[in-house]
Amino acid sequence: MKVLVTGAAGFIGSKLSEVLIARGDTVIGIDNMNDYYEVSLKEARLDRIASNDPNHLFKYIKLDLADKEGIEALFADEKFDGVVNLAAQAGVRYSLENPLAYVESNITGFAHLLEGCRHNEVKHFVYASSSSVYGANRTIPYSVHHNVDHPMSLYAASKKSNELMAHTYSHLYQIPTTGLRFFTVYGPWTRPDMALFKFTKAILEDKPIDVFNYGKHRRDFTYIDDIVEGVVRVLDKPAQANPNWDGKNPDPSSSVAPWRIYNIGNQKPIELMDYIAAIEKHVGKTAKKNMLPLQAGDVLETYADVSDLVEDVDYHPSTPVDEGVGNFVQWYREYYQI
């Protein structure tokens, strides 16, 4: 296939690009290289892709999703078979400080991609949603068959908006679209604003870490390799209409249109303090902890019910948290030469 990967210099996008070219797909990767975190890390990820691309199947283009004309020209020139949208303004906490950045990238930019798919016969549009859309929901584990109308941050609201926008295009133009609600992705090459990165850095530098909600969070931490395997499996199986869908008793995960929503997680939530203990073990030092109350926009627990993804694409995450954390700490020491 010829695949567009947006956010190709990002944590998930760079790994996905590597996996796709390794199996022989042609990948056009775009990224705006914004300075939300160190650009040098994004450049290093692109270098990593290039070093694992002996057949020159990957091409990087610097482009912002908000650039309407640029996106139009890209789709017209390249004629993609599939699109995977991983570009977004990320982070729940940053959305409390700079909400408009999320509107421009996550909503306006998303609309430009949908228009590109509409006018260029793209066979499947896969996009990153988020576990944060579950917001105020308290039924655990989170299921795609639950209603999600109470987001607790603008980041979450922007991701729910993406799901609704995709449904409209699937309904009006019969474009197969699939949304993936990611659950706390972690591993080597992760973003510096993620807890694993921040905690590891602070512990190595003998600085205290901020532990919100007094460490009582539970998160469904999901290793990067397991996430990317799921994305590839979904990409290869375009969404189809649900022939049994009932408008009088609507299922939130499917439709009479070729539109689907899946959770993609590890299905094994762990306590934040256990996660920190795994980091301490692999770093070889005990963290100094600032125990703090729950922060605005945070949810208490995430736990993915991935049964639909298991049934439809045989998805089976297999990386234990201790192994994944160990892989990250090893990468961190090598990358930063510590």
Side-chain angles (χ1 to χ4, degrees):
M1 290 194 293
K2 188 177 202 178
V3 182
L4 169 64
V5 175
T6 75
F11 172 38
I12 304 174
S14 58
K15 181 65 178 181
L16 175 65
S17 297
E18 278 192 284
V19 170
L20 290 175
I21 61 177
R23 72 173 194 171
D25 291 334
T26 297
V27 177
I28 308 299
I30 67 170
D31 203 294
N32 67 0
M33 304 296 278
N34 68 33
D35 60 0
Y36 175 63
Y37 60 86
E38 57 191 73
V39 175
S40 60
L41 180 57
K42 300 179 183 184
E43 292 170 338
R45 294 191 191 116
L46 291 175
D47 289 342
R48 187 191 78 206
I49 298 171
S51 67
N52 291 307
D53 183 23
N55 297 316
H56 305 291
L57 295 173
F58 179 82
K59 180 170 73 172
Y60 164 70
I61 300 171
K62 186 176 181 180
L63 184 61
D64 196 307
L65 295 188
D67 181 352
K68 178 176 177 288
E69 290 75 19
I71 295 296
E72 285 177 351
L74 176 72
F75 273 84
D77 292 344
E78 299 291 350
K79 300 298 182 186
F80 302 108
D81 297 303
V83 173
V84 183
N85 179 40
L86 299 170
Q89 179 57 59
V92 170
R93 287 169 187 164
Y94 186 62
S95 72
L96 308 180
E97 305 166 17
N98 193 3
L100 293 183
Y102 291 75
V103 175
E104 181 177 8
S105 177
N106 299 9
I107 297 179
T108 302
F110 192 82
H112 293 162
L113 292 175
L114 286 170
E115 279 290 281
C117 292
R118 170 193 172 190
H119 293 294
N120 294 278
E121 300 180 349
V122 171
K123 298 179 180 68
H124 195 194
F125 177 49
V126 178
Y127 60 95
S129 185
S130 167
S131 62
S132 66
V133 300
Y134 289 100
N137 285 27
R138 287 293 174 266
T139 303
I140 296 295
Y142 290 149
S143 169
V144 291
H145 303 289
H146 296 162
N147 186 278
V148 287
D149 281 340
H150 300 89
M152 296 171 66
S153 68
L154 192 68
Y155 171 70
S158 72
K159 291 299 186 179
K160 174 62 188 288
S161 299
N162 288 169
E163 295 178 4
L164 297 173
M165 295 163 72
H167 183 271
T168 302
Y169 273 70
S170 292
H171 170 70
L172 292 174
Y173 310 113
Q174 295 301 299
I175 302 166
T177 66
T178 303
L180 295 173
R181 293 173 179 167
F182 292 138
F183 279 70
T184 317
V185 190
Y186 76 101
W189 298 92
T190 191
R191 301 197 320 260
D193 65 320
M194 298 297 286
L196 177 57
F197 194 111
K198 292 196 294 185
F199 288 171
T200 300
K201 183 175 188 291
I203 294 169
L204 283 168
E205 295 174 357
D206 291 316
K207 295 178 179 177
I209 63 174
D210 290 337
V211 183
F212 291 100
N213 197 36
Y214 308 105
K216 296 176 183 176
H217 280 130
R218 281 165 54 89
R219 290 288 182 267
D220 200 346
F221 295 102
T222 314
Y223 192 62
I224 179 64
D225 291 16
D226 293 330
I227 285 283
V228 167
E229 180 187 343
V231 174
V232 172
R233 286 173 180 258
V234 167
L235 176 64
D236 289 345
K237 189 172 182 179
Q240 295 182 346
N242 178 0
N244 299 315
W245 196 83
D246 181 3
K248 293 181 180 180
N249 185 27
D251 169 24
S253 74
S254 62
S255 173
V256 289
W259 174 90
R260 289 302 305 265
I261 297 292
Y262 293 108
N263 287 334
I264 182 164
N266 197 39
Q267 209 167 220
K268 295 176 182 176
I270 68 166
E271 300 281 349
L272 179 59
M273 296 305 293
D274 291 336
Y275 193 60
I276 293 170
I279 301 170
E280 292 172 324
K281 169 189 168 183
H282 289 284
V283 170
K285 298 173 72 173
T286 301
K288 301 171 183 176
K289 304 174 184 73
N290 288 332
M291 307 303 283
L292 299 170
L294 183 69
Q295 192 175 50
D298 271 357
V299 297
L300 296 173
E301 180 175 13
T302 64
Y303 180 177
D305 177 347
V306 299
S307 55
D308 286 52
L309 200 58
V310 171
E311 181 178 346
D312 289 354
V313 301
D314 197 29
Y315 172 72
H316 293 284
S318 61
T319 309
V321 165
D322 184 71
E323 178 184 332
V325 168
N327 291 343
F328 170 81
V329 172
Q330 180 182 352
W331 167 81
Y332 186 93
R333 288 184 181 277
E334 292 173 355
Y335 183 79
Y336 290 101
Q337 299 180 348
I338 295 173

